[in-house]
Amino acid sequence: MAEAVAASRVEVRLASTGADLAEIARIANAVQPDEPLTVDQMRWADERYPGGSRFLATIDGEPAGMAGGGRVYIYPPDHPAWWGNIAVLPAHRGHGVGSALLAAVSAAAARAGKRELMGRTTEDRPEAIEFLAHRGIREVERSKVVRLELAGHPPVAVEAPEGVRITSLEAQPDLVAGVYAVAKDALPDIPGEGPVAPETLEEFVTGTVDRPQVPAGGFAVALDDATGEVIGYANLQLPSAGSTIAWHAMTAVARAWRGRGVAAALKRATIAWAQANALEALESSNDVENAPMRAVNRRLGYQPRPDEITVRGPLWFPDRPTAAGTAHGSAR
């Protein structure tokens, strides 16, 4: 008689200590090295946006995966979906870890009064896409990701259109209210699921200006040179302290000033700041429908990367029927 093989025991628990956060960061960074996560980032998010939950999964006591869920700053507090992230170490996939973590996040979301989950993955992670699709969480938005390598790149001059002056929040921190006014004007026009302009200046400052990963020098601001009015902005976000790669978090121009080269000037200003601060690359992500911004990126020499996919779907629990043969992997 063949010897019986004992099933692996998957356990999920709520993360509650500094050591737990360090383990979550270790797992997340092993699965998602292009999106570094630090303990400091998690603590900052918990302080500014309380109410979220993080989980650790083990197989027979060995760390196997992590998950988190909560509000993300680009959406208002009453948004019906929780933002979720699941990462399972490759060696432990196919044993139910991803399903257990998804169920834990879903239960936490339900307790928070949410009825859906949202998250991101990329087109080069087919196992994650399949895992989520089999549980009713499917693509709702696709963005084109591009990257500009700065090593050997010629110095970029900050050339503003006629009548426009480019500065930064580092040089003029008093411009924050004007930047917020542009956000309220511009963000509703961005295709896709978001972001949404915060209801108050204070919340905008918390999520967009005072984030530890947002350098004030890399927060470019365009002004009407005649009136001093803010007409556009572009900001970078560093994934973690000491990072040599930054993301273009947002490039926004007031409606009345579009089509005059303001967006390109702002983007050149952020590239120039990145070069001056020894960064190695910049990445940008724009909805497939955002043709004007994608054209700016092409003209500046950004090169394609795998598409970024935003997914959304109902909360998932183990007793919900699923398709056979699902794959388990990272949901981000």
Side-chain angles (χ1 to χ4, degrees):
M1 179 182 294
E3 183 178 352
V5 178
S8 298
R9 183 180 178 187
V10 178
E11 294 185 344
V12 174
R13 63 178 176 83
L14 189 67
S16 59
T17 68
D20 288 343
L21 295 183
E23 186 65 16
I24 283 174
R26 184 189 72 82
I27 294 171
N29 293 334
V31 176
Q32 304 154 187
D34 292 339
E35 303 175 27
L37 179 66
T38 69
V39 172
D40 287 344
Q41 288 174 14
M42 288 185 274
R43 286 177 170 156
W44 182 90
D46 290 344
E47 179 182 341
R48 300 304 194 281
Y49 304 100
S53 299
R54 295 188 182 87
F55 301 92
L56 281 169
T58 59
I59 292 183
D60 298 331
E62 182 179 350
M66 58 73 61
R71 180 192 167 199
V72 67
Y73 75 97
I74 63 173
Y75 299 112
D78 60 354
H79 194 272
W82 242 30
W83 193 267
N85 182 29
I86 296 174
V88 178
L89 293 171
H92 297 299
R93 294 175 186 170
H95 298 285
V97 178
S99 293
L101 286 167
L102 182 60
V105 172
S106 293
R111 290 192 294 270
K114 305 299 182 181
R115 58 181 183 271
E116 293 180 301
L117 292 175
M118 291 184 69
R120 285 201 192 104
T121 187
T122 51
E123 66 176 351
D124 59 344
R125 293 172 178 164
E127 78 288 349
I129 296 169
E130 183 182 9
F131 167 82
L132 294 169
H134 284 171
R135 290 154 180 81
I137 302 172
R138 296 183 171 86
E139 177 178 339
V140 293
E141 181 181 356
R142 182 174 289 256
S143 295
K144 294 297 182 180
V145 180
V146 292
R147 181 177 176 124
L148 182 67
E149 298 290 349
L150 298 178
H153 195 285
V156 173
V158 182
E159 301 170 348
E162 184 177 354
V164 176
R165 180 167 66 88
I166 304 295
T167 183
S168 71
L169 283 186
E170 182 178 53
Q172 293 187 247
D174 59 312
L175 296 176
V176 168
V179 170
Y180 176 55
V182 170
K184 290 194 294 182
D185 186 51
L187 296 190
D189 296 339
I190 296 176
E193 289 278 324
V196 176
E199 293 184 0
T200 67
L201 172 61
E202 291 73 20
E203 187 169 1
F204 177 78
V205 170
T206 295
T208 303
V209 179
D210 285 349
R211 293 179 71 84
Q213 302 100 315
V214 177
F219 203 123
V221 182
L223 304 176
D224 179 339
D225 205 21
T227 66
E229 178 185 5
V230 177
I231 60 172
Y233 70 93
N235 59 328
L236 295 177
Q237 182 172 318
L238 297 166
S240 60
S243 175
T244 58
I245 299 175
W247 302 323
H248 289 281
M250 180 56 59
T251 303
V253 178
R255 292 188 184 105
W257 284 85
R258 292 175 195 167
R260 307 191 197 185
V262 176
L266 285 165
K267 206 133 197 182
R268 284 196 298 270
T270 58
I271 297 171
W273 182 88
Q275 290 179 315
N277 285 271
L279 297 190
E280 295 178 359
L282 294 173
E283 288 195 1
S284 182
S285 173
N286 298 103
D287 187 275
V288 292
E289 301 295 332
N290 195 346
M293 199 66 246
R294 291 176 57 204
V296 169
N297 291 334
R298 282 195 300 272
R299 290 195 294 270
L300 292 172
Y302 287 74
Q303 297 299 309
R305 301 272 287 175
D307 288 356
E308 183 179 81
I309 299 169
T310 299
V311 295
R312 184 169 178 170
L315 305 183
W316 182 87
F317 299 98
D319 57 353
R320 180 173 298 171
T322 61
T326 56
H328 299 276
S330 169
R332 182 176 168 85

